[in-house]
Amino acid sequence: MTDALLPAAPQPLEKENDGYFRKGCNPLAQTGRSKLQNQRAALNQQILKAVRMRTGAENLLKVATNPKVREQVRLELSFVNSDLQMLKEELEGLNISVGVYQNTEEAFTIPLIPLGLKETKDVDFSVVLKDFILEHYSEDGYLYEDEIADLMDLRQACRTPSRDEAGVELLMTYFIQLGFVESRFFPPTRQMGLLFTWYDSLTGVPVSQQNLLLEKASVLFNTGALYTQIGTRCDRQTQAGLESAIDAFQRAAGVLNYLKETFTHTPSYDMSPAMLSVLVKMMLAQAQESVFEKISLPGIRNEFFMLVKVAQEAAKVGEVYQQLHAAMSQVPVKENIPYSWASLACVKGHHYAALAHYFTAILLIDHQVKPGTDLDHQEKCLSQLYDRMPEGLTPLATLKNDQQRRQLGKSHLRRAMTHHEESVREASLCKKLRSIEVLQKVLCAAQERSRLTYAQHQEDDDLLNLIDAPSVAAKTEQEVDIILPQFSKLTVTDFFQKLGPLSVFSANKRWTPPRSIHFTAEEGDLGFTLRGNAPVQVHFLDPYCSASVAGAREGDYIVSIQLVDCKWLTVSEVMKLLKSFGEDEIEMKVVSLLDSTSSMHNKSATYSVGMQKTYSMICLAIDDDDKTDKTKKISKKLSFLSWGTNKNRQKSASTLCLPSVGVARPQVKKKLPSPFSLLNSDSSLY
């Protein structure tokens, strides 16, 4: 009594190249899916052209004053709108081309609905990223040509991902990589001049933005769409295949739900909250349908408890599809959802409701109370089969009374036939569904089975004696739910990690250009300690040491020592490197973090951010006094302010006598304590 015939073994999936992870599948390969994507891309271009023509005609109609010109423009506009509508209908036809994604050997299962991938245009990152690296990070952008090429290759591969877990991993890798790129190169206060264009997967209308939000959202949408294609591709004639299909649809729902909750202002309609809510419902409905198929796959035995479970499972599938059809019928989703999708949801809602009544009818008509039957358990199951029993009937009395069972069973058969007729009628109203041969076969076979069963038990007085059969309670042993994407399980390396740790070297922070500090360590004394961890910072700087005189400041980040990149070195590694030079001259390049608010004005104490007004006025007063003393000249006023931020009173006092570059160091200098000693291993703890 199963609803699916066992077909031959499925054909294997397309073979993937060994280097797939970066290459993606070959878009020129003449597979069914590649042809479909190429057709969709061509339609998107035609729709873009038609939209531009319509916009031009509408603008001309607004400014034109000549009646003849306006009449001609209206005529042209009607032709353009007609062409655009035809293109959108053709695109809708491609979106319902479910046969391309189904397991090709499945002969008698209702097809599932996959989502098509969003198409995009090429983007050239090279010029913009090189310029930004030079401007913002003060590094030669040409040193990062390989990294930029890897990023562009990864994006190109994501346009044609393979329909398996490797393809999902490819898309998720690019999505995580976009997070690194956004932090590195896209400051929140300016546009980078890169235009990302993606086409709506349902309407084909292009959408463009200059930030990465559209790019990231579209990649997430394609990840969910790819999961739907994996789910429809699974072999639904095996338990393992159905388990994979359930998992794929739940993951598709999780990705789309994550997209809905994370990206709330996407300009593309297929990623609007209303549309995504419907798509999530559709994925969960298809997962629930796969649960029913998994339960029915071994065969449905004509046994009381088995039929109760199968009837409730079918009622559950019918219920979720009826809810999905109601959601698809709401404005504004109704205007853009493919009509064939809404029709198929309605067809499945009636079809599975009919199956629920059919299995209930078989349960009642064929049931017999045999010696040793557990009537208490059967009574409980029958009472749970309905939300409420028909008036005048009780579960126990119905089980014991053959006439009552037969009459109630035939009532269920009549309701099953009504739902079957409605499902066939709905399928006949949609041109696309009429062309799906396997769907017509399944619906007609199920309808004929119910009709023949009713004919076997039909009596002349049924029209007078049959009661209205109650609805079967929807219940499932495996409630499907969304599975959120698990990005943390995927290890992705930042392409531009050579720029330094992302927590410091990001687009929303600004630094001074690298400064070269030439200094020597006298008797193992550097004159400063280090703190932080990749990159390390200058800490506890002796104002009289060689590094301080050469221009080093507390808080400077050390980026290189003797041309050795130090941005990723720890404190102990930097200390070991400094030890290796002994008392030879050391060239150290440092950068200073700039205040992101604004530069300080020379004479206004109110602009001294993070500093008390009284102290800033003291600094300004000292500055004025120094102008009268030609022998004492402070090289940089920022050194006063930077020292003023230290809360240590001893450091603040030393600020007032900070030496300048032009002043000779005193011959007698008080030796600072051991924290400045290069030989002290404890210095690496700072």
Side-chain angles (χ1 to χ4, degrees):
M1 199 178 296
T2 58
D3 292 305
L5 300 180
L6 295 178
Q11 293 180 352
L13 303 179
E14 301 103 337
K15 294 181 179 180
E16 306 296 344
N17 296 328
D18 294 337
Y20 156 75
F21 184 75
R22 287 297 169 83
K23 296 179 181 178
C25 68
N26 184 3
L28 301 179
Q30 293 303 306
T31 63
R33 184 182 63 136
S34 296
K35 292 180 181 179
L36 188 65
Q37 288 187 207
N38 292 336
Q39 293 175 17
R40 186 182 286 112
L43 274 177
N44 287 331
Q45 294 294 334
Q46 296 179 42
I47 291 174
L48 174 60
K49 182 179 179 181
V51 168
R52 289 175 176 173
M53 292 179 63
R54 184 179 65 178
T55 302
E58 290 174 346
N59 293 336
L60 181 58
L61 187 62
K62 291 179 181 178
V63 299
T65 57
N66 190 304
K68 291 184 178 181
V69 174
R70 292 177 61 86
E71 182 179 357
Q72 186 175 359
V73 171
R74 287 195 185 97
L75 182 61
E76 293 293 335
L77 189 59
S78 65
F79 284 126
V80 172
N81 285 330
S82 177
D83 291 341
L84 186 59
Q85 183 63 29
M86 292 178 62
L87 290 172
K88 288 184 177 181
E89 290 178 359
E90 190 175 351
L91 180 63
E92 178 184 338
L94 292 182
N95 289 332
I96 196 57
S97 297
V98 294
V100 176
Y101 298 96
Q102 307 295 322
N103 193 309
T104 55
E105 294 299 326
E106 293 182 7
F108 213 65
T109 52
I110 299 180
L112 302 172
I113 300 177
L115 297 179
L117 300 182
K118 293 172 68 69
E119 303 292 340
T120 183
K121 288 184 176 181
D122 292 332
V123 176
D124 188 359
F125 289 96
S126 57
V127 176
V128 173
L129 296 192
K130 286 178 184 178
D131 291 345
F132 190 82
I133 290 173
L134 179 62
E135 170 199 345
H136 189 77
Y137 295 100
S138 300
E139 295 192 35
D140 190 351
Y142 288 95
L143 299 176
Y144 292 85
E145 285 185 337
D146 291 341
E147 289 78 2
I148 296 174
D150 288 341
L151 177 64
M152 295 175 64
D153 288 344
L154 180 59
R155 186 182 191 273
Q156 185 66 25
C158 287
R159 299 178 67 175
T160 55
S162 176
R163 194 167 60 255
D164 52 23
E165 287 298 328
V168 172
E169 184 179 351
L170 178 70
L171 290 173
M172 294 182 70
T173 298
Y174 181 55
F175 176 77
I176 298 174
Q177 193 67 237
L178 285 176
F180 295 138
V181 172
E182 185 176 26
S183 299
R184 295 280 191 190
F185 303 108
F186 286 80
T189 56
R190 56 179 280 195
Q191 299 289 346
M192 294 301 297
L194 284 173
L195 190 65
F196 300 95
T197 301
W198 287 83
Y199 294 90
D200 192 299
S201 64
L202 301 178
T203 65
V205 177
V207 175
S208 300
Q209 277 191 351
Q210 291 193 31
N211 55 54
L212 279 179
L213 291 181
L214 177 62
E215 181 87 353
K216 294 169 69 176
S218 299
V219 173
L220 269 184
F221 183 92
N222 278 0
T223 304
L226 197 60
Y227 270 126
T228 68
Q229 296 177 15
I230 293 174
T232 55
R233 184 65 175 175
C234 291
D235 182 5
R236 291 156 60 197
Q237 296 301 327
T238 64
Q239 288 285 345
L242 286 168
E243 288 285 356
S244 299
I246 295 169
D247 181 74
F249 285 121
Q250 289 183 113
R251 291 185 183 278
V255 172
L256 296 175
N257 190 70
Y258 177 83
L259 174 60
K260 182 189 69 172
E261 295 181 352
T262 307
F263 299 87
T264 56
H265 300 290
T266 51
S268 183
Y269 186 77
D270 57 355
M271 297 188 291
S272 64
M275 181 59 72
L276 288 174
S277 297
V278 170
L279 295 180
V280 169
K281 290 179 182 293
M282 185 169 72
M283 297 308 119
L284 293 179
Q286 296 188 137
Q288 196 69 57
E289 183 180 4
S290 300
V291 170
F292 172 79
E293 292 178 346
K294 185 183 72 170
I295 294 174
S296 306
L297 183 63
I300 302 174
R301 301 185 307 275
N302 194 350
E303 188 267 330
F304 184 88
F305 300 110
M306 180 67 180
L307 291 174
V308 169
K309 181 173 75 170
V310 173
Q312 290 185 319
E313 289 283 352
K316 178 66 175 180
V317 180
E319 180 184 71
V320 294
Y321 270 113
Q322 289 170 4
Q323 295 172 353
L324 174 62
H325 179 257
M328 288 179 170
S329 302
Q330 299 296 321
V331 178
V333 176
K334 181 180 179 180
E335 301 172 358
N336 291 280
I337 202 79
Y339 174 69
S340 50
W341 290 8
S343 297
L344 186 58
C346 183
V347 167
K348 288 188 176 184
H350 285 293
H351 174 71
Y352 284 102
L355 293 183
H357 286 288
Y358 172 80
F359 291 125
T360 303
I362 299 300
L363 156 74
L364 294 168
I365 293 174
D366 294 349
H367 178 68
Q368 295 180 359
V369 179
K370 299 178 180 179
T373 300
D374 189 354
L375 277 178
D376 291 338
H377 191 193
Q378 290 186 353
E379 178 187 5
K380 181 180 179 181
C381 287
L382 185 60
S383 64
Q384 294 176 349
L385 184 61
Y386 306 113
D387 292 330
R388 62 180 181 84
M389 288 290 294
E391 186 176 356
L393 298 181
T394 60
L396 184 59
T398 303
L399 288 173
K400 292 182 178 180
N401 190 318
D402 292 342
Q403 183 64 24
Q404 283 188 4
R405 286 201 317 273
R406 288 175 61 84
Q407 292 297 101
L408 184 57
K410 287 189 287 186
S411 298
H412 280 288
L413 280 176
R414 288 181 60 186
R415 285 202 65 179
M417 292 170 58
T418 302
H419 282 293
H420 280 309
E421 291 173 359
E422 194 64 23
S423 65
V424 172
R425 187 186 69 84
E426 286 289 340
S428 65
L429 294 177
C430 179
K431 179 180 178 181
K432 294 298 178 183
L433 297 187
R434 289 199 304 268
S435 63
I436 302 178
E437 185 178 355
V438 64
L439 176 62
Q440 300 296 328
K441 288 182 179 179
V442 171
L443 297 180
C444 292
Q447 182 185 28
E448 182 67 12
R449 183 180 58 182
S450 296
R451 187 188 65 80
L452 291 176
T453 305
Y454 181 75
Q456 292 174 5
H457 301 87
Q458 186 178 11
E459 298 177 2
D460 295 337
D461 58 348
D462 282 345
L463 293 177
L464 299 176
N465 296 332
L466 293 183
I467 62 176
D468 291 334
S471 298
V472 179
K475 187 178 179 181
T476 179
E477 67 176 18
Q478 183 178 347
E479 191 79 36
V480 298
D481 199 2
I482 62 175
I483 300 178
L484 293 175
Q486 298 175 335
F487 300 108
S488 59
K489 290 188 175 181
L490 193 62
T491 302
V492 180
T493 302
D494 180 9
F495 283 155
F496 300 92
Q497 61 179 348
K498 288 194 306 183
L499 291 172
L502 189 57
S503 59
V504 176
F505 297 98
S506 61
N508 60 355
K509 294 183 179 180
R510 297 174 58 246
W511 310 268
T512 61
R515 308 189 314 274
S516 294
I517 308 298
H518 296 269
F519 68 99
T520 57
E522 300 177 1
E523 300 178 358
D525 184 0
L526 286 174
F528 59 87
T529 57
L530 304 176
R531 68 175 179 182
N533 189 20
V536 299
Q537 289 179 275
V538 176
H539 191 48
F540 288 148
L541 180 64
D542 179 3
Y544 296 103
C545 70
S546 174
S548 177
V549 173
R553 296 195 293 263
E554 279 202 21
D556 282 347
Y557 289 94
I558 301 176
V559 295
S560 69
I561 298 175
Q562 297 290 83
L563 302 180
V564 177
D565 193 341
C566 300
K567 291 192 289 288
W568 284 97
L569 298 185
T570 62
V571 170
S572 58
E573 291 171 337
V574 173
M575 292 297 294
K576 182 178 180 180
L577 181 60
L578 290 171
K579 286 181 182 181
S580 64
F581 297 105
E583 295 188 359
D584 296 337
E585 183 180 72
I586 303 173
E587 180 185 6
M588 180 174 68
K589 288 189 176 182
V590 299
V591 295
S592 299
L593 191 64
L594 294 176
D595 191 351
S596 59
T597 55
S598 61
S599 58
M600 298 185 183
H601 290 256
N602 291 335
K603 292 292 182 180
S604 176
T606 58
Y607 283 91
S608 53
V609 180
M611 191 184 307
Q612 293 184 0
K613 183 182 295 185
T614 54
Y615 182 74
S616 62
M617 296 174 77
I618 293 174
C619 294
L620 296 175
I622 294 175
D623 181 57
D624 289 337
D625 293 341
D626 288 344
K627 287 183 179 180
T628 59
D629 188 355
K630 301 299 182 180
T631 61
K632 294 182 180 180
K633 194 172 184 180
I634 302 301
S635 59
K636 292 185 178 180
K637 195 176 300 181
L638 286 178
S639 60
F640 285 97
L641 302 181
S642 62
W643 277 85
T645 57
N646 195 321
K647 296 181 180 180
N648 190 310
R649 294 183 179 179
Q650 181 179 357
K651 294 288 181 181
S652 300
S654 65
T655 305
L656 302 180
C657 57
L658 186 66
S660 64
V661 177
V663 179
R665 294 182 61 182
Q667 294 182 355
V668 179
K669 179 175 74 70
K670 186 177 180 180
K671 195 75 172 178
L672 289 177
S674 60
F676 295 103
S677 174
L678 182 63
L679 301 179
N680 189 350
S681 60
D682 294 338
S683 61
S684 62
L685 299 178
Y686 287 91

